[in-house]
């Protein structure tokens, strides 16, 4: 029986960053899966026996959806019970990590229970207009419908804070939301992104050009603690989707 006065974060970006109806979301994902199946030889998902987290992009699905879905397909067999979903704060200048105070997050696919972890300050305001986490939820709901989420938006944090936050996330499956370089000519973007990808795989924040660098710092601290290494799944740019090579955004997905 659902308790009284349940609070629900309603979708703020359905219809802009991703489709606005259940039917359209499922059709979009089905289409991406079919495209991915044609490239199955590029990445052998069956060879992966243990996955503790993902790094995925957060642009509009028409731009970065293919690269994100290439990682989310791994959730089919993992189905984690508790997911810590970390993304950067694009619209608020904050110096900590904030969880959300709602009971559920909602998308056109339904409602997902929110975990309330007292290790984090709680603020619905910091999440209300942030897209980096919401755009991930329909993928989670589709591939792992029974998961609960701990949404965390991260601002500027110190190395000490990153280690402290990583320490309290033991027991969570981590999903890190970040894009790579922004608005460079295509060849420049690729060069910058290749360096960022190399350093992410080596768990080094130096020379990582990514808007989600603070969530990544928490992920790196967690990986160091658990002796995990990120592995690239897919890389793309906005030019792949629309052909404009003058000012592109880079996207990459990893498992660890």
């Amino acid at each position: 029986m659902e308790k009284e006065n349940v609070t629900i974060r309603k979708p703020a970006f359905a219809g802009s960053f991703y489709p606005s109806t259940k039917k359209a979301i499922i059709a979009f994902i089905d289409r991406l899966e079919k495209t991915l199946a044609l490239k199955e030889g590029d990445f052998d998902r069956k060879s992966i026996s243990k996955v503790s987290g993902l790094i995925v992009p957060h642009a509009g699905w028409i731009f970065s959806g293919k690269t994100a879905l290439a990682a989310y397909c791994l959730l089919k067999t993992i189905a984690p019970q508790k997911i810590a979903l970390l993304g950067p704060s694009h619209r608020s200048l904050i110096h900590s990590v904030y969880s959300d105070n709602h009971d559920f997050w909602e998308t056109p696919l339904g409602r997902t229970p929110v975990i309330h972890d007292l290790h984090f300050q709680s603020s619905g305001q910091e999440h209300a207009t942030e897209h980096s986490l919401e755009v991930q939820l329909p993928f989670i709901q589709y591939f792992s419908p029974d998961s609960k989420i701990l949404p965390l938006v991260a601002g500027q944090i110190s190395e000490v804070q990153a280690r402290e936050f990583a320490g309290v996330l033991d027991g969570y499956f981590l999903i890190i939301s970040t894009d790579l370089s922004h608005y460079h000519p295509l060849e420049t973007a690729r060069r910058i992104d290749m360096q960022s990808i190399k350093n992410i795989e080596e768990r080094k924040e130096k020379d990582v050009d990514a808007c989600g660098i603070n969530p990544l710092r928490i992920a790196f601290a967690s990986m160091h603690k658990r002796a995990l290494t990120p592995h690239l799944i897919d890389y793309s740019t906005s030019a792949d989707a629309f052909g404009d090579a003058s000012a592109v955004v880079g996207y990459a997905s990893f498992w660890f």
Side-chain angles (χ1 to χ4, degrees), residues 30-220:
D30 284 346
R31 186 167 64 251
L32 288 179
E33 280 199 284
K34 289 175 182 176
T35 301
L36 191 64
L38 296 176
K39 296 182 61 183
E40 196 65 40
D42 293 351
F43 177 67
D44 184 6
R45 288 157 187 79
K46 296 179 182 178
S47 68
I48 299 174
S49 59
K50 176 68 174 176
V51 181
S52 298
L54 305 173
I55 300 170
V56 287
H58 56 232
W61 282 17
I62 57 173
F63 295 102
S64 65
K66 175 185 75 70
T67 294
L69 182 132
Y72 276 114
C73 284
L74 294 172
L75 290 188
K76 287 180 181 179
T77 54
I78 301 166
Q81 292 184 347
K82 300 193 308 178
I83 294 175
L85 182 57
L86 290 89
S89 175
H90 285 89
R91 296 169 180 84
S92 299
L93 181 60
I94 57 177
H95 293 84
S96 188
V97 176
Y98 288 91
S99 63
D100 184 68
N101 55 13
H102 292 87
D103 296 307
F104 293 88
W105 274 27
E106 183 176 277
T107 78
L109 291 187
R111 296 176 184 173
T112 294
V114 171
I115 299 167
H116 296 136
D117 191 317
L118 298 181
H119 290 99
F120 298 92
Q121 298 179 69
S122 180
S123 173
Q125 179 181 351
E126 304 302 336
H127 288 268
T129 60
E130 179 53 56
H131 69 275
S132 65
L133 303 184
E134 182 185 326
V135 298
Q136 312 300 344
L137 185 54
F139 286 123
I140 294 170
Q141 291 172 322
Y142 183 89
F143 289 108
S144 187
D146 295 327
S147 294
K148 297 179 181 180
I149 61 168
L150 172 62
L152 299 171
V153 62
Q156 295 293 324
I157 56 174
S158 67
E159 184 178 341
V160 171
Q161 285 177 301
R163 289 198 300 268
E164 289 175 348
F165 289 131
V168 301
L169 290 176
D170 286 347
Y172 286 93
F173 185 90
L174 302 184
I175 296 181
I176 310 301
S177 178
T178 185
D179 294 337
L180 297 182
S181 66
H182 285 58
Y183 310 131
H184 298 286
L186 180 58
E187 291 308 312
T188 302
R190 285 177 174 164
R191 175 176 52 77
I192 294 171
D193 291 343
M194 290 304 105
Q195 182 64 55
S196 294
I197 288 168
K198 178 179 181 294
N199 284 0
I200 288 172
E201 290 182 319
E202 295 176 357
R203 301 175 304 187
K204 298 176 181 177
E205 66 176 270
K206 182 181 178 181
D207 293 329
V208 172
D209 190 332
C211 56
I213 187 62
N214 287 298
L216 280 172
R217 293 169 75 194
I218 296 171
F220 291 163

